[in-house]
Amino acid sequence: MQGKVLIVTGALGALGQVVAETALARGARVGGIDHVPSQAVATAQHIELGGVDLSDEAQAKTAVSAAAKHFGRLDALINIAGGFAFESVGDGDVKTWQRMYTLNVLTALNTSRAALPHLAASKAGRIVNVGAMGALQAGSGMGPYAASKAGVHRLTEALANEWKGKVTVNAVLPSIIDTEANRVSMPDADFSKWVTPQELAEVILFLASDAASAVTGALIPVSGRV
């Protein structure tokens, strides 16, 4: 990661913070984008752009351009921004499906489209998306979320083919991530079997590195110890 310039979306969330902090510790320069407002002071190594709605194409383009301008270039985009909802198909609300598509697919789509011209100018342009193992086979209550994450998987594959030879595009597919929010919502679960944010960050940063130059269009399950 030494000298690389990364954009991390959802940078103030549980996973985004770990990815950003790990990349910075390894010598990368990081632009964090999040819907949550940020008061962080910009430095030569780090800038945070808060209050950004990445489901809005114009806002996504403005934020990506600001980060790329701050650092002078862009080498990798890590799309972590998203959301989760647990709701049955028959008893649920169609608005939940719309919200999941907006939070998970549109954010990744808009940010990727904004970043691709910058990434193509890099010698090692990378996009890493966050899909979900739960989207490979949806269980009860997982319909809206799984459908949206399946959209992320197909977006990953399409972009990988369209930009082959210019930008690699891959996705990690975590099972349950060991976060405080997930522990609260599933207090009886065996947390030791979940994938930790740090473990997931290692895979993400590998895919964003020079070492992953031959990998594109891959959907990589990261299941912890289930």
Side-chain angles (χ1 to χ4, degrees):
M1 288 291 101
Q2 185 67 42
K4 294 290 186 184
V5 176
L6 281 63
I7 284 179
V8 179
T9 73
L12 299 180
L15 176 59
Q17 287 186 58
V18 173
V19 171
E21 289 169 1
T22 302
L24 284 166
R26 295 177 184 175
R29 291 180 285 169
V30 178
I33 303 176
D34 205 292
H35 191 262
V36 176
S38 172
Q39 300 298 322
V41 177
T43 68
Q45 296 300 117
H46 185 218
I47 184 174
E48 281 184 1
L49 301 164
V52 180
D53 180 2
L54 292 174
S55 70
D56 180 277
E57 185 178 14
Q59 290 189 45
K61 186 174 183 178
T62 297
V64 168
S65 295
K69 182 178 180 180
H70 180 77
F71 296 117
R73 71 173 201 276
L74 178 61
D75 299 309
L77 167 66
I78 300 172
N79 282 314
I80 298 175
F84 175 78
F86 186 87
E87 187 174 280
S88 66
V89 176
D91 298 327
D93 190 329
V94 68
K95 291 181 180 178
T96 302
W97 291 75
Q98 295 169 332
R99 181 164 59 88
M100 287 295 95
Y101 178 83
T102 297
L103 290 175
N104 293 321
V105 182
L106 280 185
T107 57
L109 171 64
N110 288 338
T111 314
S112 295
R113 282 166 53 92
L116 278 165
H118 302 283
L119 296 172
S122 169
K123 293 181 179 179
R126 307 277 188 264
I127 294 177
V128 185
N129 295 322
V130 177
M133 283 187 66
L136 298 178
Q137 184 173 9
S140 176
M142 295 290 286
Y145 176 75
S148 68
K149 285 297 188 178
V152 173
H153 299 177
R154 303 292 82 81
L155 171 64
T156 300
E157 293 166 339
L159 285 175
N161 279 289
E162 292 173 10
W163 290 79
K164 196 167 186 178
K166 298 178 182 178
V167 178
T168 69
V169 188
N170 297 288
V172 293
L173 280 55
S175 56
I176 302 173
I177 305 174
D178 188 2
T179 64
E180 182 179 353
N182 283 337
R183 287 190 177 211
V184 170
S185 66
M186 293 173 273
D188 297 326
D190 184 351
F191 308 145
S192 68
K193 292 183 177 181
W194 293 355
V195 62
T196 69
Q198 186 63 52
E199 289 171 328
L200 190 52
E202 296 293 342
V203 182
I204 289 171
L205 292 178
F206 165 73
L207 292 171
S209 74
D210 290 341
S213 61
V215 184
T216 194
L219 306 176
I220 302 175
V222 186
S223 61
R225 288 151 296 281
V226 176

